[in-house]
Amino acid sequence: MRRTRRNGISPVPRRLWISESTRGRVTPAELFFDLVFVFFVTQVTHAVETHPGWEGLLKALFPMVVVWWMFSGFGWLTNAVRPDAVQVRLLLMCAMTGFFIMGLDVPYAFEPDGWAFPLAYLAVVAIHGAVYLTANAPSARQAILRNMPFNAAAGVLVLIAPHVPEPWGWVCWATAVPVLYLSPFLGRIRGFVLEPHHFVERHALLLLVVLGESVVAIGIGAEGSGDHAVDAPLALGVALGIAVASGLWWVYFDGDEARADEKFEKADEYRRQMLAYYAFTGAHLVMIIGIILIAAGISDAIHHFNGHAHQWWLGCGTAVFLVGHAIYRGLLGSGRISYRLIGAVCAVPLGATAAIAGWIGMAMIAVVLTAIATVDHRLASMDPSPREDSASD
């Protein structure tokens, strides 16, 4: 076991894979790890776009919801076990491989041939638990031991699902989700040690990485619009797509992370864990689903620039994203939520104008997001420490 010096005075033992402190900024290793999630989100977006019915949507989102649980779990993990040591980095790379395989197998996750998806998921669960058991805090090690059986049980359900009659396969997937998302309460959500600044920054940067999918969708839509050089309609479509992606970025990143950091820091240990579960694992999942729908809508709108694009993806995706961000703000008390809720209501019918022409739907959504971001920015600049009008607003 390695030994190190604390305050330069006397050597004290420390666990092999742990850095001296979990406090600090997100590391390049974590950012590199998060890149694999972009591929997974791209695969889910493609599945949504190519199978636009309810069944196709559910077959894309069920894997997304299950995988997000474990991917978010790695955010909790690297908050407690910093990826400084070689062993941890190697295990994270193995987990990246697992997530990538799950991304490749998204189109087959409901079929018997999709056996790689649940097996990769179970491998990721094992890696996550093994690294967590090296945490310095005994309470964190006990907490992951309470939660690992639920993570593994969900993987077993997903493994069984394709091999039972179809109604029961859907039941297995539908059961796996509450097994995961209720596990903190069934296993008692306590013991996890969270460093606020790192946790907030990690999720903000992860959402930024996911927003890259809405930018990628612009290129995918442009490729699908025809084999020709960029003309005026395509250039306008790209501009509108960038405007929508920029609006999403502006709504989330206009000072929210700093205010969330402050609120998270002030919370006591138990409330911090509850906020991490609801505001980050939960509300960020809602926002990511919104981004996936928006990305599918952007790609389809550019592809059907002057024609009939999908009626609901842009508007409903924007509404889901705004509701998710309102939940996030409301839980943390980090800003006003009324404009986001109003914007969510307006986005659905305005986004539906994509059924007339793709460019109209993108333009309407860009206007909604820009209006919300502009109003919010001006109010924040007038009052640097605005009083929260969350639940009652």
Side-chain angles (χ1 to χ4, degrees):
M1 183 175 292
R2 289 170 56 186
R3 300 174 71 84
T4 187
R5 289 184 176 274
R6 181 172 295 171
N7 300 325
I9 299 174
S10 61
V12 294
R14 74 174 185 180
R15 300 178 68 84
L16 178 63
W17 294 356
I18 312 302
S19 59
E20 278 293 295
S21 172
T22 62
R23 190 171 184 83
R25 301 185 65 84
V26 174
T27 63
E30 292 168 274
L31 291 176
F32 178 66
F33 179 84
D34 290 345
L35 292 178
V36 76
F37 194 62
V38 177
F39 174 73
F40 188 88
V41 171
T42 298
Q43 288 290 90
V44 173
T45 303
H46 180 70
V48 169
E49 190 177 0
T50 53
H51 300 88
W54 278 107
E55 183 177 345
L57 181 64
L58 291 175
K59 283 186 174 181
L61 292 186
F62 265 129
M64 170 70 219
V65 171
V66 169
V67 168
W68 167 251
W69 174 262
M70 284 311 303
F71 204 88
S72 175
F74 275 83
W76 290 60
L77 170 65
T78 54
N79 186 265
V81 182
R82 302 289 282 167
D84 298 333
V86 172
Q87 296 95 325
V88 173
R89 292 182 177 183
L90 290 175
L91 287 171
L92 288 180
M93 290 176 190
C94 291
M96 286 179 70
T97 304
F99 282 115
F100 200 92
I101 290 172
M102 284 187 272
L104 286 173
D105 232 26
V106 163
Y108 311 101
F110 282 73
E111 301 176 9
D113 290 342
W115 53 266
F117 184 97
L119 291 183
Y121 180 86
L122 288 169
V124 165
V125 169
I127 293 169
H128 179 262
V131 179
Y132 231 124
L133 288 174
T134 68
N136 278 333
S139 63
R141 301 197 295 273
Q142 294 165 6
I144 197 60
L145 286 174
R146 288 193 300 269
N147 281 274
M148 274 186 68
F150 297 99
N151 297 341
V156 172
L157 285 168
V158 173
L159 180 63
I160 294 171
H163 304 286
V164 297
E166 185 170 336
W168 291 106
W170 284 100
V171 169
C172 287
W173 278 95
T175 304
V177 173
V179 165
L180 290 173
Y181 285 83
L182 295 179
S183 63
F185 305 102
L186 298 174
R188 298 185 181 180
I189 184 169
R190 54 185 172 81
F192 290 104
V193 179
L194 299 170
E195 196 285 302
H197 176 74
H198 174 274
F199 201 80
V200 173
E201 184 183 32
R202 175 71 187 277
H203 282 79
L205 291 174
L206 180 57
L207 194 76
L208 184 62
V209 168
V210 174
L211 277 174
E213 173 55 28
S214 61
V215 177
V216 170
I218 300 169
I220 294 174
E223 288 180 353
S225 64
D227 186 16
H228 56 77
V230 176
D231 53 14
L234 183 53
L236 179 58
V238 169
L240 289 171
I242 292 292
V244 172
S246 300
L248 294 171
W249 168 81
W250 195 356
V251 164
Y252 184 95
F253 284 96
D254 194 21
D256 254 32
E257 63 277 17
R259 293 190 293 271
D261 193 351
E262 180 184 355
K263 299 290 184 179
F264 207 42
E265 180 76 49
K266 291 179 179 177
D268 60 37
E269 183 179 343
Y270 177 74
R271 176 162 171 75
R272 193 175 289 173
Q273 292 176 68
M274 297 305 295
L275 287 175
Y277 173 70
Y278 285 114
F280 292 92
T281 298
H284 277 68
L285 171 62
V286 177
M287 287 186 273
I288 289 169
I289 291 174
I291 292 170
I292 288 170
L293 295 176
I294 293 167
I298 289 175
S299 179
D300 188 59
I302 294 177
H303 183 60
H304 300 93
F305 189 70
N306 290 309
H308 305 299
H310 196 282
Q311 186 175 7
W312 302 117
W313 283 337
L314 276 171
C316 291
T318 303
V320 170
F321 176 85
L322 291 172
V323 168
H325 195 240
I327 294 170
Y328 171 71
R329 276 191 160 192
L331 289 167
L332 286 167
S334 60
R336 297 174 176 84
I337 69 171
S338 56
Y339 308 111
R340 281 148 182 78
L341 297 178
I342 293 170
V345 172
C346 295
V348 176
L350 291 176
T353 58
I356 302 171
W359 71 267
I360 298 177
M362 285 194 291
M364 292 296 100
I365 295 302
V367 168
V368 170
L369 293 172
T370 302
I372 294 170
T374 302
V375 171
D376 212 40
H377 182 77
R378 289 190 174 182
L379 289 173
S381 64
M382 288 188 293
D383 183 4
S385 302
R387 232 182 187 180
E388 173 56 25
D389 63 340
S390 56
S392 62
D393 198 3

